[in-house]
Amino acid sequence: MTLKKEKINMALDMKKMKERLTALKNRGNGSGKFWRPQDGEQVVRIVPTPDSDPFKDYWFHYNVGNNPGFLSPKKNFGEDCPLDSFVRQLWKEGTEDSKRMAKKLSARQRFFAPVLVRGEEDQGVRAWGFGKQVYETLLNLVCNPEYGDITDPDTGIDITLTYGKPVGASFPVTKITPRRQSSPLCPESPEKCRELLEGIPDFDVLFNDCRKSFEEVQSMLDEFLLGDSDPEESASETKKYNTSKSTETTTVDQAFAELLG
């Protein structure tokens, strides 16, 4: 008896294959979840979040040892931190050198918002990091009744960012100009909009690898003191991060360094 072979449909799920390819590309440097403006003009849309607060803030220590940035255990979580204790000791000493070092080692506040970059919608919603001045400008904008809820998917507004270093300036400047007319977040379809909003980065998860234990912070502090390095050497927003640093840097650390520029 001859058995007839049945044809089995085992076609590739191309959508899933593309998702795997994108995930693989992003896994190497972690930059897929972060966005930073380039010189010139870019248009972005701050998207709504489930908790109705698109602005997140964290306190970071920069470049202590070989780590480009980590969450301050004391400022963010109220935990004991050897670096925080060391900084307070430096302030108590009161010398010019100790105060200078204390200022460099102190935690700095950084603000973030989930944004959709126009022209790069295929990359989804990403985390945009900015300083206090930009944060204050954005707060004034969202509190302005003339604009209403700028994050609303149907009636919100896009924002034009002009980024660059003016002639004679030491640091780049971000100028924010809101569009006068409202526009939908996703003019294509409601389904696309839902897909984008479901892909908003979870900031607590995003920076999970930037959270360090007491012992890890102590080790970084010891390394810094023994090496007598400058914690601001590679923290400047005007420099590119030196990728030849420790190969053990986590993907989130790499992405964070990339975000800071």
Side-chain angles (χ1 to χ4, degrees):
M1 180 182 293
T2 302
L3 296 176
K4 185 178 179 181
K5 293 183 178 179
E6 293 183 3
K7 186 177 180 180
I8 301 175
N9 185 8
M10 299 182 67
L12 282 174
D13 184 336
M14 295 309 297
K15 180 180 179 182
K16 184 173 291 185
M17 294 303 104
K18 289 179 181 178
E19 290 174 351
R20 288 182 179 275
L21 179 60
T22 301
L24 181 63
K25 289 179 178 179
N26 290 337
R27 191 179 303 157
N29 56 23
S31 61
K33 293 294 184 182
F34 292 101
W35 176 78
R36 62 186 298 269
Q38 303 301 312
D39 287 346
E41 272 191 8
Q42 292 117 109
V43 179
V44 303
R45 177 68 162 264
I46 298 177
V47 302
T49 53
D51 63 358
S52 301
D53 182 2
F55 302 114
K56 314 300 176 188
D57 65 291
Y58 297 90
W59 292 85
F60 288 91
H61 291 289
Y62 295 121
N63 299 290
V64 181
N66 286 326
N67 195 297
F70 64 94
L71 291 168
S72 167
K74 186 68 173 181
K75 288 283 191 178
N76 292 297
F77 312 109
E79 299 173 353
D80 289 337
C81 173
L83 183 55
D84 178 77
S85 299
F86 181 66
V87 167
R88 284 189 281 109
Q89 179 183 336
L90 288 172
W91 282 117
K92 286 181 180 179
E93 288 179 6
T95 66
E96 288 304 313
D97 286 342
S98 64
K99 287 189 289 185
R100 181 175 61 86
M101 181 177 285
K103 185 176 180 180
K104 290 180 177 179
L105 292 175
S106 293
R108 299 180 186 180
Q109 196 173 23
R110 188 76 174 166
F111 303 90
F112 298 87
V115 294
L116 183 67
V117 182
R118 294 306 188 189
E120 300 178 9
E121 285 88 349
D122 60 322
Q123 298 189 43
V125 178
R126 289 174 284 173
W128 169 37
F130 43 87
K132 185 177 180 181
Q133 186 173 357
V134 172
Y135 176 57
E136 185 175 356
T137 301
L138 290 172
L139 279 184
N140 284 326
L141 176 61
V142 300
C143 291
N144 187 337
E146 182 178 346
Y147 294 101
D149 182 0
I150 67 172
T151 71
D152 188 276
D154 299 316
T155 61
I157 59 170
D158 290 350
I159 296 171
T160 300
L161 301 181
T162 306
Y163 182 83
K165 188 167 68 171
V167 177
S170 301
F171 300 96
V173 173
T174 303
K175 180 182 177 182
I176 295 175
T177 306
R179 294 287 177 90
R180 282 291 176 181
Q181 293 185 336
S182 63
S183 61
L185 175 62
C186 311
E188 302 91 351
S189 67
E191 290 74 19
K192 179 63 177 178
C193 198
R194 279 196 296 270
E195 182 182 333
L196 285 170
L197 294 178
E198 288 173 358
I200 294 175
D202 184 327
F203 286 90
D204 289 336
V205 174
L206 199 59
F207 293 119
N208 189 54
D209 285 351
C210 291
R211 187 168 183 173
K212 305 299 179 183
S213 67
F214 185 97
E215 291 74 20
E216 287 173 318
V217 176
Q218 184 66 65
S219 178
M220 286 187 284
L221 177 59
D222 291 343
E223 182 180 352
F224 165 77
L225 293 175
L226 289 173
D228 193 28
S229 60
D230 187 339
E232 289 187 329
E233 273 183 351
S234 54
S236 173
E237 303 241 359
T238 61
K239 293 183 179 180
K240 284 291 181 184
Y241 181 68
N242 183 1
T243 55
S244 65
K245 286 193 174 187
S246 173
T247 56
E248 295 181 358
T249 305
T250 67
T251 56
V252 172
D253 285 338
Q254 291 171 349
F256 183 68
E258 188 73 23
L259 176 67
L260 293 180

